[in-house]
Each structure stands twice: as structure tokens, then as C-alpha cells.
Amino acid sequence: MKVVICGAGIAGLTLAWWLRRAGAETTVVEKAAGPRSDGYMMDFFGSGYDVAERMGVLGELREVAADITELTYADRRGRRVGGLRYASFQAMLDGRVLSVMRGDLERVLRSALGDDVPILYNTSVRAVRHVPGGVDVELTDGAVHRADLLVGADGIHSVVRRLTFGREESFLRPLGYHTASFLFEDAELAEEIGRRFVLVGVPDRQAGLYPAGDGALAASLIHARSGMALPADPRAEVLSAYRGLGPMVDRMFEHCPEDPYYDHVAQIRMPTWTKGRVTLLGDAAHAVSLMAGQGSSTAMGGAHTLAVELLGADVESALARYERRMRPFVLSKQKAGRNTAAWTVPHQAWRIALRNRLFGLADLPGGRALMGRGLKRLGAGAVPVAG
Ligand SMILES: Cc1cc2nc3c(=O)[nH]c(=O)nc-3n(C[C@H](O)[C@H](O)[C@H](O)COP(=O)(O)OP(=O)(O)OC[C@H]3O[C@@H](n4cnc5c(N)ncnc54)[C@H](O)[C@@H]3O)c2cc1C
């Protein structure tokens, strides 16, 4: 079987790994010039953790996992107003959780794949032509690959989705927030933050700061903003949106690059992910948003599910079964993401105060058991990791 995967991100690399193991002839195309290190820290549990375990990469992920002791909610003056000890969070998930930077996860997956599968960097898909029993994939370098299957694993702004299903606006559903993130170095601030993930939140805005390894700090920002348009100058938007959150956040501004990662907090909702011999995977198909968390974990669970189905049946039946197995999980994650938004970055001060107090309950055995059950229902085992 010949497969072209567009996107060497979390979903694309995971699928390529499983297809290589199954002996499929796989080519990956990636628009970036090389592996990317930017991005945010993910709490990695549930299906992603299970799939990583089966791929034998948990050891490497543990080596690069963030060394965080606490999630601290702080006020503008940096004083602790609530929080959750990381040990409590781990206990809720029976220790089957890692906090990993997106770039580190991508790097570990890339090195697990080895050199057998070609990854064509600086390359994308220009045109897609359906042919009997297959698909012709025209790349931006002019080459045309005839394949049994094209998989669009090219993220929330997928070009494969646009070429196959139509314009992005038909499927992208903003949740009313924008997000930005970037890495920087500041030894003094790093000392103040220590091993904590510090969140300063006021109605409609939340700034997070945490250690990202090798002395670097990461900024993770979310603020309320409606509409479909993104600002022409993301850095200027960051500087104006997060003013007044106190000295720690002000100091972070000094390091904001010209082009931070900046996007809608959004979901992709589609009635189907497959047309002929083209299917979508990960964020391209069903971004759940950072409000739901688990975007990378869901992408890895989906990649494994698709690979397992392709091994067991003809391509058409496999794609139908992949969608049938993934859709209920994805819909429930998306619903949870929409519900969680009002508590992650609340519009009202009373919600912030209540949330901070509730988080504290997790340090008590009863509260921990209750929250653990909810977390496991959300993440673990919901994507069937069989085969
Ligand atoms: C550099 C980067 C930083 C990120 N930072 C954050 C963050 O701070 N917060 C957050 O919530 N989410 C972030 N994300 C999204 C997050 O990684 C995904 O939600 C999650 O990992 C799902 O994985 P995915 O493989 O489906 O998509 P992604 O991880 O987004 O991977 C998609 C891949 O496809 C590539 N690609 C995109 N368009 C094309 C194209 N036209 N042709 C070829 N290749 C293409 C991308 O370069 C990328 O390698 C980031 C993604 C990237 C690429």
C-alpha cells in the first residue's frame, strides 16, 4: 500500500511510524523547513500515553518531561491564591501522565521513525485528483505521487481539507478566545518561577509561565476575543491584551518575539473526514482546542486507530471503521472543551475564585478520587487502542 501523509506533526509522524511497521510505502510532506521546536507544554495522558507506550518511546519522553511541582494560581502581585500539586495530578491518573513540550514530543517521534520513511520538508500538497482506486497527489515541487491513500495530518489550517472539502470557514469554529505562546530566557524570572506552572488570571485573560527545560521559560497566553479575524500584528495584540497583569507578566513582554505562535482557540467540526481515498487526521479533522486539552494525545490515538484499521481491511472499509471508532470520542472531547472554556478562562471574577478553591480540593484524598474519575473518563481508554 502506498500512502502520502501531509504534515510531519504529532499525528503525521505517529501514523508514519505505525505504517512503516506494517510495511506500507509511506511518504511524508511537511511545509516547514525542518523539525520545529516551538509550541507549548502538554499534559500527556490517555490514548496518547497508551500509544507512546506501545511505540516504546515512553522512556525518551520521560527523559524530556517537564519537572513541574505545582500548578499555581497567582494574583497580579504573584501571590498564590490556589493551586494543585503535580503529585496529586499524577496520582489522579495512576501515574500514567507526562508533561512534555510539543517540540520534544515531535523530536522523539521523529527519531523513533528513523530514516526509512522520507520526509520532504519545505513541501506541501498543491492539488488532489481522485482516480479509480487511488489518488494523484501533486506536490508544490511539481512531483505527482499516485497513492492508495492521502492523509491530511496538516493541522487546524489543513490544506488537504481545503483542497478536498472546501474553505476553512465552513469547518473552523472559534470558541471566542485567542492564544499565543513563545519560549524565552530570563534567569531572574526563571528563579522566581522555580518548578511551578504559574497562572495569573483575571476575567477574560490568563497568562501562564513555566520552566521549559534547559533554563528556558515558556509563556502560554489565552484571552477572550470573538470573530473570525486574526490580528495582523500578533505581537502588538499580545502586548496590549495582557497589560496590567502584574510585574511577572510585564517582564515576560520584554521577551515576546516578532512572531509568537498565535491562533484562534478553535475546533474543527465536520460531518465526515473522508472523501474517496483522502482522509483527515488529528487537528485537520477534528481539532478539540486547548480548552479540551489532549489535542496531541487524541491525534496519536487517531493515528494508531487509522493504522490498525488499514492493516485489517480494504482502504474504503478501513476509513469507514476509523471514523466510526474515533467520532464518538472526538465529539465528547469537543463538548467537554466547550464546557471547560468558561472555567479555564472565565468571564467573571466569581468563577475564577471558585475554580481556584475547587482545584485545592485535589490535594485531599476524597477530592482527588472524584477529580481523577472525571479526568480518566475524559482522556483514558476512550480512543480504543487495540491491536
Ligand atoms: C509549531 C507548532 C506550535 C504549536 N503550538 C501550540 C500551542 O502553543 N498551543 C496549542 O494549543 N496548540 C499548538 N499547536 C497545535 C498542536 O500541536 C496540535 O493541536 C496537536 O499537536 C495535534 O497534532 P496534529 O499533528 O494534528 O497537528 P500539528 O501538531 O499542528 O501538526 C501539523 C503539521 O502539519 C504541518 N503543516 C501545516 N500545514 C501544512 C501544509 N500546508 N503542508 C504541509 N505540512 C503542513 C505543520 O507544520 C505541522 O508540522 C502547535 C502546532 C505547531 C505546528
Side-chain angles (χ1 to χ4, degrees):
M1 182 173 35
K2 214 171 154 192
V3 182
V4 176
I5 300 173
C6 182
I10 309 306
L13 291 171
T14 307
L15 179 65
W17 190 94
W18 286 98
L19 290 181
R20 185 199 61 168
R21 205 172 87 134
E25 193 186 325
T26 307
T27 303
V28 184
V29 299
E30 164 61 51
K31 78 168 179 190
R36 314 181 41 168
S37 61
D38 40 349
Y40 62 120
M41 188 170 72
M42 303 155 317
D43 293 323
F44 193 63
F45 59 97
S47 51
Y49 190 99
D50 296 344
V51 172
E53 188 170 45
R54 285 177 184 226
M55 293 170 70
V57 296
L58 271 188
E60 284 94 323
L61 289 175
R62 274 199 195 97
E63 271 170 37
V64 294
D67 185 20
I68 301 283
T69 51
E70 193 192 67
L71 174 79
T72 302
Y73 285 112
D75 65 12
R76 290 173 210 251
R77 291 161 69 181
R79 293 175 307 193
R80 188 185 191 282
V81 290
L84 171 68
R85 284 187 308 121
Y86 195 71
S88 301
F89 177 54
Q90 283 179 312
M92 282 181 212
L93 293 161
D94 305 325
R96 292 180 65 79
V97 56
L98 290 170
S99 296
V100 188
M101 296 299 291
R102 184 199 173 283
D104 286 333
L105 175 59
E106 184 179 309
R107 199 163 39 74
V108 166
L109 294 173
R110 176 77 191 80
S111 91
L113 186 59
D115 297 327
D116 309 351
V117 177
I119 300 184
L120 313 179
Y121 287 104
N122 274 322
T123 310
S124 184
V125 173
R126 185 192 288 154
V128 177
R129 286 183 288 277
H130 299 272
V131 295
V135 57
D136 278 349
V137 186
E138 185 182 325
L139 304 183
T140 46
D141 64 7
V144 177
H145 291 243
R146 176 153 295 186
D148 298 297
L149 176 64
L150 166 64
V151 180
D154 46 349
I156 193 164
H157 302 296
S158 168
V159 75
V160 174
R161 187 182 61 231
R162 181 170 54 73
L163 292 170
T164 311
F165 295 92
R167 43 193 221 114
E168 177 168 300
E169 291 75 9
S170 308
F171 309 113
L172 186 116
R173 301 282 172 263
L175 297 187
Y177 296 87
H178 286 185
T179 182
S181 64
F182 56 90
L183 300 177
F184 64 98
E185 286 184 14
D186 182 326
E188 213 175 293
L189 192 54
E191 198 171 323
E192 189 177 345
I193 299 290
R195 290 163 60 199
R196 300 173 304 153
F197 190 134
V198 179
L199 287 163
V200 182
V202 298
D204 289 339
R205 293 178 292 160
Q206 177 174 278
L209 279 167
Y210 54 92
D214 295 332
L217 284 173
S220 176
L221 310 164
I222 310 176
H223 67 286
R225 181 71 79 238
S226 54
M228 293 298 280
L230 286 171
D233 183 347
R235 181 172 187 272
E237 172 74 9
V238 165
L239 297 194
S240 79
Y242 296 91
R243 280 272 167 243
L245 287 187
M248 263 192 312
V249 180
D250 285 349
R251 183 158 178 149
M252 172 198 81
F253 286 146
E254 294 167 22
H255 306 282
C256 182
E258 286 305 320
D259 58 344
Y261 172 84
Y262 191 103
D263 210 343
H264 291 287
V265 176
Q267 297 184 334
I268 294 293
R269 289 186 233 143
M270 303 180 72
T272 178
W273 307 327
T274 301
K275 192 182 267 184
R277 294 301 187 93
V278 182
T279 198
L280 302 174
L281 179 66
D283 275 11
H286 51 63
V288 293
S289 85
L290 61 76
M291 295 298 183
Q294 295 282 289
S296 298
S297 207
T298 307
M300 287 180 73
H304 180 267
T305 304
L306 176 56
V308 167
E309 293 303 341
L310 284 169
L311 289 184
D314 61 276
V315 176
E316 275 88 3
S317 321
L319 296 180
R321 284 170 57 94
Y322 151 68
E323 233 183 283
R324 259 201 318 276
R325 288 176 71 188
M326 283 300 292
R327 192 166 281 278
F329 173 73
V330 165
L331 291 181
S332 78
K333 286 288 319 166
Q334 290 190 326
K335 188 169 171 209
R338 292 193 292 277
N339 295 339
T340 316
W343 292 97
T344 306
V345 184
H347 299 305
Q348 309 89 350
W350 68 263
R351 268 193 208 259
I352 296 178
L354 181 59
R355 177 201 61 193
N356 295 352
R357 287 185 79 85
L358 286 174
F359 259 93
L361 293 178
D363 284 339
L364 307 173
R368 187 154 61 231
L370 194 69
M371 286 172 81
R373 273 203 294 280
L375 266 179
K376 281 181 197 152
R377 250 203 320 276
L378 266 182
V383 172
V385 182

